[in-house]
Amino acid sequence: MHIPDGYLSPSTCAVLYGIAIPFWYGAFARVKRLLNTRLVPLLAVASAFCFVIMMFNVPLPGGTTGHAVGVGAAAVVLGPWASMLSVSIALLIQAIFFGDGGITTFGANCFNMAIAGSLVAHFVYRAIAGRSAIPSSRRVAAAALAGYAAINVSALLTACELGIQPLFFKDASGTPLYAPYALHIAIPAMMLGHLTFAGMAELFVSGGVVAYLQKTNPALLGERPSVTSEAQAHFPAGGGWKATRPLWIRVALLMLLTPIGILAAGTAWGEWGARDFSDPQMRQQITAASGNLAPPSAQPEGLARLSSLWAAPFPQYAPPFVRHPAFGYVMSAMFGTGLILGAFLLLAWITAGGRPSDASQASP
Amino acid sequence: MIRTRGKSRGAVECTLASFVDAIEHAFYAEQIAKENGLLQKLDPRLKILAILPLIVIAALARRLSVIAALFVFALVLAMLSKVPLSTLAKRVWLGVLAFTGIISFPALFLTPGRVVFSLPLVGWIVTEQGLRAAAYLILRAETAATFSVLFVLCTPWNKVLKALRVLRVPLVLVVILGMTYRYIFLLLRNAHDMFTSRRSRMVGRLDGRQQRRAATASAGVLMSKTMQLSADVYLAMRSRGFQGEVYVLDDFRTAWFDWAILGLFTMVAAAALWWGR
């Protein structure tokens, strides 16, 4: 899953670095606030652990062995933020010193494994483990499934990144310049191995580590990681507006920048409307973007039928009551961001059992 | 990520072999870094500024000939830096070729384009575009990996980390990376000792389930030791007056030679960027 240099176009790499940097920044600020002077030794040693755990060979049913990334175990014990930093540092050392994974693709590898993997593992673990007791076997199952889900989401993201390369990056003769397989090949090829063997390796390691810690060191499986909780008692978390202000400012800036999308020419590949199949100009664009394969002459029947099932309130990011397209984009961005925030607030309220959430009680 | 091994090597042996490989790789890199070659003489900060653009341009280039020329340039650098080509072949090229070769092989048949020939018995059609796609992937991966490995082999690890500051990597991250690298070897030794002691107590063969239990329990022990170690290191740092500030001694000096080599690399990079458009 470590994507080497040369598999992704530099623009894809740049986008994924751009996505990863705010997560690194946010995670670093959050962990630093929680740990203060403990930050350096904890992250250094935890990253070394993540590196070493990636070298463990786990025997799998069928006579094979597999390597785990260890992101499930790291997210359960360290929490998602420290986990994404530790796994990122381990990946950086792997890339620089051991040539496993590329330098240009480092952002992509971190986004797939460290960032998405840690967040997925954390949420799956929290959702399944719920409020069960520390020695409960439910926690072992939760950790195992968290590791399995995390590695498969990481694999899916990797497959998508590889699969979009031949759609966008070809030379004049139509030769793919980077990873040559389209999504319909990349996704099954990647997921087959990860849904089975690699997923199982992660499942066994995450579940096994939690099962072992339940017996020997249950403090590490507390609601808050023991290493951070002590520091948190001395250095209480400063949540609220002040802590999140930089993130809110960035979100606002990004919303204001959304009209840049208007500058992009053409339609995104695969996002055509049913009417586009009968528009000669759109047909030309679809043909050019699909490796000179002409689309069907008539609207695909299923597409025509299903496209009428749901009418978007803001079609093409242009609310009907707004005339200026740039303002429509900003309105759509605000509406979408509001919906996402609302969904997360609702989720937080549900997982907290209907009680108001308290920032100081949140797991780091 | 998946390795199929013969029955003769169990998971314990495979894991031990991985640990030994990692330690051996690190020691070998330290040895090469002490040689008196071209890249070893270069200031580490300028070395990053010289080599990183070449890796990016190898990924950007849209002409096979330009990527091949960059690869030849990497070979010349290796020879001038006294890095044995056999080492590069064994440690980089064969590994990349095996991995990328397997991945790019089906592209020969799956990429639509002008037919070059068809395989006699199965009738699979190889296209010109498929051949070029595979060549792009393999050449890019080999060239970028060669530049990365040359940089790491020719620079002591502590200087690599300090040099990262030229890329505006925060100082605290440089310190964390340095400590991580050091503790990797401590944890590798711990893990190696655990597996060796486990193997020394084993009579006969463990079945798959027992091996799995042993591997995951070892991971759990290592996790506990890691947390204990981090607390011990923290206390040791505090007892020596650590209050959160980190410092790095920058003892780098540049000479005209460093700037001349950086100029040469920049010219190569600019030419590759121009021709590879």
Side-chain angles (χ1 to χ4, degrees), chain A residues 1 69-76 83 87 109-125 142-158 191 194-195 198-199 202-203 206, chain B residues 1:
Chain A
M1 205 193 301
V69 175
V71 67
V76 168
S83 164
V87 177
N109 286 327
C110 282
F111 174 69
N112 300 339
M113 285 184 268
I115 296 170
S118 296
L119 290 174
V120 168
H122 173 73
F123 285 118
V124 171
Y125 179 72
L145 288 174
Y148 184 78
I151 206 72
N152 278 294
V153 167
S154 304
L156 183 63
L157 288 170
T158 307
M191 295 315 294
H194 285 84
L195 284 168
E202 200 67 39
L203 183 141
S206 305
Chain B
M1 195 169 282

Side-chain angles (χ1 to χ4, degrees), chain B residues 171-187:
Chain B
L171 186 59
V172 66
L173 191 58
V174 172
V175 173
I176 290 172
L177 275 168
M179 286 181 67
T180 303
Y181 191 79
R182 219 171 296 156
Y183 283 107
I184 279 174
F185 293 102
L186 180 68
L187 292 183

